[in-house]
Amino acid sequence: MIRVMVGSTVPTEHLDRVLELYSRLVAETRKEPGCVSYELLQRQDDPRELMLVEEWQSQEHLDAHTRTPHFVAIVGELDQLERAAPALIYNQLL
Amino acid sequence: MIRVMVGSTVPTEHLDRVLELYSRLVAETRKEPGCVSYELLQRQDDPRELMLVEEWQSQEHLDAHTRTPHFVAIVGELDQLERAAPALIYNQLL
């Protein structure tokens, strides 16, 4: 089981469109094999700061996710609208 | 429901002791009212990078957590051993 966190900063004028895209991405991704959870969080003190929090059964499932047509298409569009940090991969210790 | 993330960087020579302290903190915190989940993650590519991921029923429960004797004592000791970032508070959007 692995955890992934991807932070991003969204200019206010793009926030509505970005949230539409994430809504589709989350709905499609939750149907994928190996997806344990896939959630989008928003900072209370700054709505431009988003965090995608993911849990996958294995690295192989995560790799397959990044090759799905919905991932490629939606993340391609998101990249034009927000500034995303590199995905950070974690193991749960406790 | 609110989510909290607290990242920290631990010098390698303090990692064993820090993980002992987190183990006690996690065990005590999970018994608290309003604690939905409380987990410690470790970066796959750098074991010095930890992330506490918390879910609380309300801000009031989180505030009460930070006044418990175990929180005050353990976090006081952790502060001597690691460099923690400010806690970031999120709402779940999706």
Side-chain angles (χ1 to χ4, degrees):
Chain A
M1 203 85 90
I2 59 172
R3 306 294 190 94
V4 185
M5 293 199 199
V6 190
S8 63
T9 305
V10 187
T12 305
E13 64 270 26
H14 292 157
L15 198 52
D16 287 352
R17 176 64 183 149
V18 162
L19 294 181
E20 279 176 22
L21 290 166
Y22 273 116
S23 180
R24 284 172 41 209
L25 182 62
V26 166
E28 290 300 319
T29 302
R30 285 181 180 157
K31 301 175 196 166
E32 289 182 46
C35 179
V36 180
S37 65
Y38 198 83
E39 297 176 341
L40 184 71
L41 312 185
Q42 184 177 45
R43 277 258 297 275
Q44 273 193 352
D45 62 348
D46 187 349
R48 297 167 305 174
E49 296 293 328
L50 304 180
M51 180 73 75
L52 205 50
V53 180
E54 315 176 19
E55 191 170 0
W56 293 91
Q57 285 176 9
S58 71
Q59 182 68 48
E60 291 67 33
H61 288 103
L62 173 60
D63 293 343
H65 162 62
T66 64
R67 295 189 297 264
T68 58
H70 55 266
F71 180 92
V72 173
I74 295 171
V75 172
E77 190 169 347
L78 283 170
D79 282 345
Q80 311 300 314
L81 300 170
E82 65 171 19
R83 195 176 70 246
L88 300 178
I89 302 182
Y90 292 86
N91 296 316
Q92 183 178 350
L93 282 189
L94 296 170
Chain B
M1 200 87 88
I2 60 172
R3 306 293 192 94
V4 185
M5 294 200 199
V6 190
S8 63
T9 305
V10 187
T12 304
E13 66 269 25
H14 292 156
L15 198 51
D16 286 352
R17 176 62 183 152
V18 161
L19 294 181
E20 280 176 20
L21 290 166
Y22 273 115
S23 179
R24 282 172 42 210
L25 182 61
V26 166
E28 290 299 318
T29 301
R30 285 181 180 157
K31 300 176 198 165
E32 289 181 45
C35 178
V36 180
S37 65
Y38 198 84
E39 298 175 341
L40 184 71
L41 311 185
Q42 184 177 44
R43 277 259 295 279
Q44 274 194 350
D45 63 347
D46 188 346
R48 297 168 305 175
E49 295 293 328
L50 305 180
M51 180 73 75
L52 204 50
V53 180
E54 315 176 19
E55 190 170 0
W56 293 91
Q57 285 176 10
S58 72
Q59 181 68 48
E60 290 65 35
H61 288 103
L62 172 61
D63 293 343
H65 163 61
T66 64
R67 294 189 297 263
T68 58
H70 54 267
F71 180 92
V72 172
I74 296 172
V75 172
E77 191 169 346
L78 283 170
D79 281 345
Q80 311 299 315
L81 300 170
E82 66 172 17
R83 195 177 68 246
L88 299 178
I89 301 182
Y90 292 85
N91 296 317
Q92 183 178 351
L93 282 189
L94 294 170

